[in-house]
Amino acid sequence: MIKPLLSSRRQWLLAAAALLAPALAAAQPLPKPGPGGYTELRWDDLVPKGWDPMKGLKDKGLIGKLGALDDADPKTAELLRQMREAWDNAPTEPTLDGAKVKLPGYLVPLEEGPAGHTEFLLVPYFGACIHTPPPPANQIVLVQPVKPAAGFRSMDTVWVSGTLKATRSNSPMGSSGYRLEAAGVERYKATPR
């Protein structure tokens, strides 16, 4: 019973390194606002330029050596705890505070009533927040729709548009660095770039 838990630590560290590599790419300028005055964002737009989610691993010389970590070693557990703390406190992009944005992602329900979802998390990849660990806080958006979002299930892909706030929130599914006061929630359809 303990062995799967221990081996998941190493797998988590390896997966985290792979998932966050795109966030380290140089930030690109935001596109001009589209219909309704909403600027379509990419998930890496939410990460401040220069923030390195893997800094702790680099400082310890562990990049490229994650597969060799011993899951039973207390140092591995401590490293995981330090990464989780850093990710839960990940910085947000201050220039986006108050911006009218449109962002695609996966829906993770938090509160649902008879009319639909009244609060949910928007995450960048399938399984985020459902499986542990959650992504960094700057990759989780708490969505509060103006009217309940009906007809959606957990992990459905959606476009959410509204006003983005750099406001931290904690939920049982993860810590979010942003809140989106959603004017609209619709099924995801790819848009040409």
Side-chain angles (χ1 to χ4, degrees), residues 3 8 36 41 47 77 112 142 149 162 167:
K3 190 65 175 169
S8 69
L41 297 181
V47 179
E112 185 176 9
L142 173 67
T167 302

Side-chain angles (χ1 to χ4, degrees), residues 9-99:
R9 287 182 184 154
R10 184 174 359 163
Q11 291 170 343
W12 182 83
L13 289 168
L14 288 167
L19 288 170
L20 291 172
L24 299 176
Q28 298 178 13
L30 294 177
K32 295 196 183 321
Y38 296 108
T39 300
E40 187 178 311
L41 297 181
R42 298 170 307 266
W43 281 93
D44 57 345
D45 294 330
L46 301 176
V47 179
K49 186 175 182 179
W51 182 69
D52 184 352
M54 304 309 286
K55 183 177 182 341
L57 294 176
K58 288 177 183 172
D59 291 347
K60 292 175 175 48
L62 293 173
I63 297 296
K65 300 176 185 175
L66 296 177
L69 292 176
D70 179 5
D71 291 331
D73 188 339
K75 292 177 187 173
T76 302
E78 175 59 17
L79 178 64
L80 184 61
R81 187 199 64 74
Q82 289 174 8
M83 280 184 61
R84 182 73 266 148
E85 184 178 321
W87 287 14
D88 285 347
N89 293 296
T92 56
E93 176 52 58
T95 60
L96 294 175
D97 192 31

Side-chain angles (χ1 to χ4, degrees), residues 87-154:
W87 287 14
D88 285 347
N89 293 296
T92 56
E93 176 52 58
T95 60
L96 294 175
D97 192 31
K100 287 179 67 175
V101 302
K102 182 177 180 182
L103 183 68
Y106 294 89
L107 185 148
V108 177
L110 292 178
E111 292 184 21
E112 185 176 9
H117 298 286
T118 56
E119 188 172 82
F120 61 89
L121 298 178
L122 191 68
V123 296
Y125 56 88
F126 187 86
C129 295
I130 298 292
H131 303 292
T132 59
N138 60 19
Q139 294 292 283
I140 302 176
V141 178
L142 173 67
V143 179
Q144 297 173 315
V146 173
K147 61 181 186 175
F152 299 104
R153 298 177 316 200
S154 181

